[in-house]
Amino acid sequence: MENPSNNSKVTRRRFMRDSVRSVLALGIGAVSGLLIGRSTKQNIVWQLDPEKCVQCGRCATDCVLDESAVKCVHAYDVCGYCELCGGYSKPDAHELDTAAENQLCPTGAIQRSFIEDPYFEYTINEKLCIGCAKCVKGCGSFGNGSLYLQVRHDRCVNCNDCAIARNCPGEAFSRMPSDRPYLLKGEQGLT
Amino acid sequence: MQNRNHIFSSITLIAAVGLLIFYGFTIFSGRSGRDENPFEYDVDSFKGADSSLIHYAEVQSIDFEGKKLTALTLNFKDELIVAAGREIFRIDSMFQSSLWITTQYPVRCLATDIEGLVYVGLENIVLVYHPDGSKQAEWDDFPRQAILTSIAVGDSHVYVADAGSRVVHYFNNSGKLITRLGEKDPVRNIPGFVIPSPYFDLCIAKNGSVWVVNPGRHTFENYLPSGDLVAQWGKTSMRIDGFSGCCNPTHIAMTPQGEFVTSEKGLERIKVYSPAGQLLSVVALPEQFDEGTVGLDLAVDSKGVIYVLDPSRERIRIFGKKEVS
Ligand code: SF4
Ligand code: SF4
Ligand code: SF4
């Protein structure tokens, strides 16, 4: 009987890489190719470390922008493609289906599509995501932690004093060089 | 002049009252107190259980401060063997631990047989040790992607759970691979193991068959050595009688009566089920563990006492049945 909590992250990643689902790991490339717009004026930008985030909800409420610059990102190569996705279904969902009343996301920003029995793929509709981290907590508690937050640099105006960073209880925010502006999970990430 | 002073005082008063109202609002609305999360992921309602189901209490614990605990097992004399990374400890009857063996790679799983041989699962190798600590054998007939997560030893055969290949390897006790069990086979009605992360446990039944957790489906599946799937049960639910998330139960063990002891991640709880899958008892609830604890490996001794490896608190926790008053 095993305790994988002792495994290195490399081993855990290898596990997922070697699994059949990893052939579906396409989406993360889209994340690493994100545009860095206004914020590159300076050489440093704000980013949050998903390992320090405690999913407090302030990324949704404290950004100076009406629609937060923080969005949910999905590391497909870490995802288990689970039917019962802790990030997608409400804890008390009556059915594991796509009915609005069974979805955890308050804005319906996560799309679920059937791959093959019993695997489902989950995709974030960024236009709808408000960065509330509810799915991040659900996925981290019951799944593989493939859903996580990132400051999106095509939206962030790179405030001198980031309003979220000021109040972040996990002290997850720090300045990053603008040529390496993301802290990604999975194959293309650092963790 | 008096009039102007009066207006000035009134404005100051109104401003002060306004400020007070503003601060009061922000504090009570949570924007300053900061404790309220309007997007809280709330599973509190699933953390409890009817008190009539709680038949166990923690009676003792063994500290392994500073050790990254990974696996535990009990031998036929009810002596505890515990792995922490590459180190394997033996625990005596006074609960004193002593370092027994150091392996080359981290230990992932442990098992013992009726003669006291200790089977040690590393990532893709099984090592077999004599009780005197000498190495008897090394089995390496595993696929490249193997991640061994559990071993169960019968009278003449050994089952090894491999989360990386999503199969159970069936060996004779000389280490010769006989067959692999549980591969998806619609013709034989075998659903295939769904293992989103490396939690994949099994235990041997009295008749020599093996019960295997299919953690992505939240089911227990009973296989004969022939590979036939002869029984299964399970329930997907966050409620106390079910299992939820992508890989639960993470660990299982069997009581002397053939009941299943289970542990979970996400909702950290230990429960006991009948052989047919009926919830019989709650051993421990999430409030008894640190939030986010994973890897609650289990063992049960000949008297039915349950040993739980708690990697977060760095100790082995021992749960016994409560006296019925
Ligand atoms: S404010 Fe910090 S802890 Fe809260 S959701 Fe954002 S990154 Fe996570
Ligand atoms: S639950 Fe929150 S963070 Fe997750 S996708 Fe929906 S809005 Fe975005
Ligand atoms: S720097 Fe400004 S715009 Fe960017 S996340 Fe922080 S508050 Fe929002």
Side-chain angles (χ1 to χ4, degrees):
Chain A
M1 286 173 265
E2 185 219 10
N3 175 4
S5 62
N6 186 47
N7 299 348
S8 69
K9 284 171 180 160
V10 174
T11 303
R12 185 180 174 84
R13 217 156 67 208
R14 202 208 85 188
F15 174 79
M16 294 316 299
R17 185 178 62 220
D18 288 349
S19 79
V20 69
R21 277 98 55 212
S22 65
V23 296
L24 302 162
L26 302 170
I28 202 78
V31 176
S32 58
L34 296 174
L35 291 175
I36 304 173
R38 288 158 291 195
S39 41
T40 49
K41 287 196 296 268
Q42 299 147 41
N43 291 328
I44 46 172
V45 292
W46 288 105
Q47 191 47 271
L48 70 94
D49 182 345
E51 300 294 329
K52 293 184 179 166
C53 170
V54 294
Q55 300 93 37
C56 73
R58 286 174 207 169
C59 276
T61 56
D62 286 24
C63 181
V64 295
L65 301 175
D66 286 343
E67 179 195 325
S68 177
V70 177
K71 300 276 181 185
C72 181
V73 169
H74 195 189
Y76 288 87
D77 57 336
V78 178
C79 180
Y81 293 82
C82 315
E83 183 180 15
L84 200 175
C85 169
Y88 181 79
S89 297
K90 276 185 183 166
D92 54 352
H94 294 299
E95 298 287 341
L96 301 180
D97 60 15
T98 55
E101 71 268 21
N102 292 327
Q103 290 185 37
L104 180 71
C105 176
T107 63
I110 308 178
Q111 277 152 16
R112 165 183 160 114
S113 35
F114 177 71
I115 305 289
E116 63 169 50
D117 179 48
Y119 301 117
F120 289 80
E121 187 177 35
Y122 298 91
T123 313
I124 309 297
N125 180 342
E126 293 202 350
K127 287 200 177 75
L128 296 179
C129 175
I130 55 169
C132 73
K134 206 169 184 179
C135 61
V136 178
K137 182 89 181 265
C139 175
S141 302
F142 291 95
N144 287 354
S146 57
L147 296 171
Y148 63 106
L149 297 181
Q150 286 285 273
V151 177
R152 300 299 300 260
H153 296 295
D154 51 342
R155 297 191 45 74
C156 175
V157 295
N158 205 17
C159 311
N160 278 336
D161 182 17
C162 171
I164 312 175
R166 214 185 305 143
N167 294 320
C168 172
E171 298 184 0
F173 278 71
S174 62
R175 292 289 211 174
M176 299 280 296
S178 59
D179 59 346
R180 282 186 287 116
Y182 291 99
L183 285 167
L184 301 178
K185 285 188 173 185
E187 279 298 296
Q188 300 185 23
L190 304 173
T191 58
Chain B
M1 189 68 184
Q2 225 179 11
N3 226 358
R4 228 194 256 169
N5 277 346
H6 185 71
I7 291 168
F8 182 73
S9 315
S10 303
I11 289 172
T12 313
L13 190 69
I14 289 166
V17 170
L19 268 176
L20 270 176
I21 291 171
F22 174 74
Y23 279 117
F25 173 76
T26 53
I27 286 165
F28 287 110
S29 68
R31 288 189 63 86
S32 169
R34 316 303 296 167
D35 290 334
E36 283 281 307
N37 176 3
F39 305 105
E40 188 65 64
Y41 179 77
D42 190 2
V43 288
D44 284 357
S45 57
F46 299 101
K47 290 184 174 174
D50 191 311
S51 58
S52 66
L53 278 170
I54 303 171
H55 301 151
Y56 288 78
E58 186 167 0
V59 290
Q60 202 154 2
S61 66
I62 309 167
D63 277 344
F64 281 86
E65 208 181 318
K67 298 286 182 194
K68 281 192 157 184
L69 298 175
T70 51
L72 89 170
T73 191
L74 286 158
N75 69 12
F76 69 103
K77 292 187 206 159
D78 280 346
E79 290 166 344
L80 200 54
I81 300 168
V82 176
R86 297 190 305 114
E87 297 175 325
I88 302 175
F89 297 86
R90 294 195 88 115
I91 318 298
D92 68 20
S93 56
M94 304 301 289
F95 292 149
Q96 295 302 308
S97 64
S98 55
L99 182 62
W100 184 48
I101 291 165
T102 303
T103 56
Q104 207 179 344
Y105 300 103
V107 176
R108 294 175 162 274
C109 45
L110 291 169
T112 58
D113 72 3
I114 44 166
E115 284 160 11
L117 290 181
V118 179
Y119 293 72
V120 178
L122 310 183
E123 181 151 306
N124 52 14
I125 301 173
V126 171
L127 308 174
V128 186
Y129 287 94
H130 190 269
D132 68 11
S134 60
K135 192 160 81 179
Q136 300 276 289
E138 187 169 320
W139 303 355
D140 58 4
D141 192 3
F142 296 101
R144 183 193 61 85
Q145 72 274 19
I147 296 178
L148 308 185
T149 50
S150 183
I151 304 172
V153 187
D155 293 342
S156 59
H157 49 269
V158 179
Y159 296 99
V160 181
D162 174 355
S165 318
R166 283 171 275 130
V167 294
V168 172
H169 306 278
Y170 178 58
F171 293 90
N172 69 17
N173 56 7
S174 318
K176 184 178 181 317
L177 180 69
I178 300 167
T179 187
R180 298 199 161 106
L181 313 177
E183 275 166 309
K184 186 171 179 170
D185 185 346
V187 178
R188 296 174 81 187
N189 256 334
I190 296 174
F193 297 119
V194 180
I195 309 172
S197 66
Y199 296 94
F200 183 39
D201 207 350
L202 51 73
C203 60
I204 215 158
K206 284 203 174 96
N207 66 0
S209 66
V210 65
W211 280 95
V212 189
V213 177
N214 196 338
R217 297 183 193 268
H218 310 125
T219 52
F220 285 63
E221 296 174 1
N222 187 207
Y223 290 89
L224 298 179
S226 62
D228 288 334
L229 173 60
V230 288
Q232 58 182 315
W233 62 268
K235 181 175 179 183
T236 294
S237 169
M238 283 206 185
R239 293 185 181 84
I240 192 70
D241 58 344
F243 301 103
S244 61
C246 74
C247 334
N248 272 317
T250 59
H251 297 80
I252 58 169
M254 198 172 261
T255 68
Q257 289 74 38
E259 299 154 346
F260 295 103
V261 183
T262 65
S263 72
E264 292 162 75
K265 67 169 184 155
L267 286 168
E268 303 85 0
R269 50 193 186 189
I270 315 285
K271 299 178 287 188
V272 180
Y273 286 84
S274 74
Q278 187 200 349
L279 176 66
L280 300 176
S281 299
V282 172
V283 179
L285 287 167
E287 65 188 21
Q288 291 165 271
F289 298 95
D290 299 332
E291 195 179 314
T293 298
V294 289
L296 296 166
D297 197 1
L298 300 167
V300 187
D301 74 13
S302 59
K303 296 187 194 74
V305 173
I306 298 170
Y307 294 73
V308 180
L309 176 134
D310 186 335
S312 176
R313 299 201 181 169
E314 300 175 341
R315 65 181 67 149
I316 307 299
R317 300 171 65 180
I318 304 167
F319 293 82
K321 258 206 163 145
K322 289 195 221 170
E323 299 284 327
V324 183
S325 53

